[in-house]
Amino acid sequence: MDPVLEIRGLTTRFATPEGEVVAADGVELEIAPGESLAVVGESGSGKSQVFLAVMGLLAANGRSTGSIRYRGREILGLPPRELDRIRGARIAMIFQDPSTALNPYLTIGRQLGEVLEVHKGARPAEARARALAMLARVGIPEPARRLDQYPHELSGGMRQRVMIAMALLAEPDLLIADEPTTSLDVTIQAQILHLIASVRRELGTAIALVTHDLGVVAGLCDRVLVLYAGRVVEMGPTDALFATPLHPYTRGLLRATPRLSDPLEVPLEAIPGQPPDLRRLPPGCPFAERCPEVVERCRLEQPLLRAAGPGRRVACHRAALP
């Protein structure tokens, strides 16, 4: 089955007064129809920038090279008018902060209706009716009243549901969820994740979940891709990666994730040190200075991403490979 999204050799750079920042370095991934892929890593690892490049929404000082294909069609570098036929319609994105993603001057109904009017050619009355149905579908109470409210009149959880409704109205092939639960309390987080899972199950939508928290991945995603300093360090099926993480960074992320099965007295283990400066990446493995298993080769030679079993790849000189 051909992938919905295929990324090859994606490198994203930003020009800054302090020097060039490489936010994504040779990233490769693919997402099959109906699949759910988690892209995980610490803040600053390049997760969001990969998918902002997919959407053509990089900041003005950013540029990307490589290949981004949607259903076999190259979309990196498409003119905005052509890209608009794909983003929002075939590829939709839920942003981290709905407070900034929603227009404070327009009602919820107007913002939802615009999606259908622009991408589906719906008339205003039809667009309003479909927007109402979608708000009900994503579990917003009193949806008819919400249509005439403004974003500041809704709670954080409801604003996030509005963002999901907006993303789903055009029935996209791929839904990118960028840290969709970061600013929400634990109860609302669980509801949002359940909603995303039900969308995938009912509509067959492929999901790309961008997160720093491996704890939200286990029950939702088929595969996991781990980014560090803009580079892919490990990828594989979720169950296999959780059971036998191959990269020291992945093991560190898992040790820093609380588990219900652990005794209360077992402390969480933080990864020591700080990520490298993306303007001056070291010549070898970017994780070398924080790695408990580092050897001299790690400091001198950048590890390549290599096959490490069925569906698995890892970029580590010391990983045990089949």
Side-chain angles (χ1 to χ4, degrees):
M1 185 180 297
D2 293 334
V4 172
L5 183 72
E6 184 177 17
I7 296 176
R8 293 287 178 259
L10 178 67
T11 298
T12 298
R13 296 179 170 87
F14 292 89
T16 74
E18 294 78 28
E20 185 178 73
V21 173
V22 182
D25 188 0
V27 172
E28 305 207 349
L29 64 84
E30 59 185 45
I31 305 175
E35 182 185 29
S36 183
L37 172 73
V39 180
V40 304
E42 293 168 285
S43 296
S45 62
K47 309 181 301 297
S48 296
Q49 299 306 325
V50 168
F51 289 101
L52 288 174
V54 170
M55 299 295 287
L57 295 175
L58 290 176
N61 64 332
R63 61 186 180 90
S64 292
T65 57
S67 174
I68 301 174
R69 290 183 174 272
Y70 164 70
R71 292 199 175 276
R73 181 189 181 189
E74 183 62 55
I75 63 173
L76 181 60
L78 274 183
R81 186 177 295 274
E82 291 187 44
L83 192 56
D84 281 344
R85 297 173 185 154
I86 297 173
R87 61 184 174 191
R90 308 316 320 150
I91 303 175
M93 188 166 184
I94 305 168
F95 296 93
Q96 288 187 33
D97 185 359
S99 299
T100 57
L102 293 170
N103 189 326
Y105 299 104
L106 297 179
T107 64
I108 299 302
R110 184 73 200 114
Q111 294 185 62
L112 292 173
E114 280 185 348
V115 174
L116 293 167
E117 292 171 29
V118 171
H119 293 298
K120 298 293 187 180
R123 295 183 179 277
E126 178 193 357
R128 184 178 176 86
R130 291 174 63 180
L132 176 63
M134 184 58 75
L135 285 184
R137 184 171 192 172
V138 300
I140 288 185
E142 300 181 90
R145 185 162 72 92
R146 308 303 178 192
L147 285 177
D148 296 317
Q149 291 184 316
Y150 291 85
H152 74 271
E153 298 180 85
L154 306 183
S155 68
M158 282 198 285
R159 285 196 294 265
Q160 192 63 281
R161 288 174 186 269
V162 168
M163 287 292 299
I164 294 173
M166 188 179 297
L168 295 177
L169 274 172
E171 300 178 344
D173 295 329
L174 172 64
L175 178 64
I176 300 166
D178 186 3
E179 302 277 12
T181 62
T182 296
S183 59
L184 305 176
D185 63 53
V186 174
T187 302
I188 302 300
Q189 283 185 26
Q191 293 174 1
I192 294 298
L193 292 172
H194 177 75
L195 175 58
I196 292 173
S198 67
V199 164
R200 177 196 173 197
R201 184 173 59 251
E202 295 170 15
L203 303 181
T205 305
I207 305 291
L209 176 65
V210 179
T211 182
H212 65 277
D213 185 358
L214 277 170
V216 308
V217 170
L220 185 63
C221 298
D222 303 307
R223 291 190 300 124
V224 180
L225 181 145
V226 184
L227 278 180
Y228 184 78
R231 298 173 183 170
V232 179
V233 297
E234 184 169 357
M235 66 173 70
T238 302
D239 290 346
L241 185 140
F242 273 54
T244 56
L246 300 175
H247 198 282
Y249 178 61
T250 309
R251 290 195 285 274
L253 288 177
L254 286 168
R255 284 196 296 267
T257 302
R259 301 186 184 190
L260 291 175
S261 58
D262 290 340
L264 291 176
E265 62 272 14
V266 175
L268 296 178
E269 298 181 36
I271 301 174
Q274 297 293 326
D277 186 339
L278 296 180
R279 295 167 299 177
R280 290 177 288 274
L281 285 171
C285 175
F287 190 59
E289 293 304 316
R290 306 174 72 187
C291 182
E293 303 170 32
V294 64
V295 294
E296 189 61 21
R297 182 186 180 191
C298 303
R299 303 182 192 278
L300 302 175
E301 181 183 337
Q302 181 179 335
L304 299 177
L305 195 63
R306 300 176 290 166
R312 304 194 67 178
R313 302 181 75 187
V314 65
C316 178
H317 294 307
R318 304 201 65 191
L321 302 180

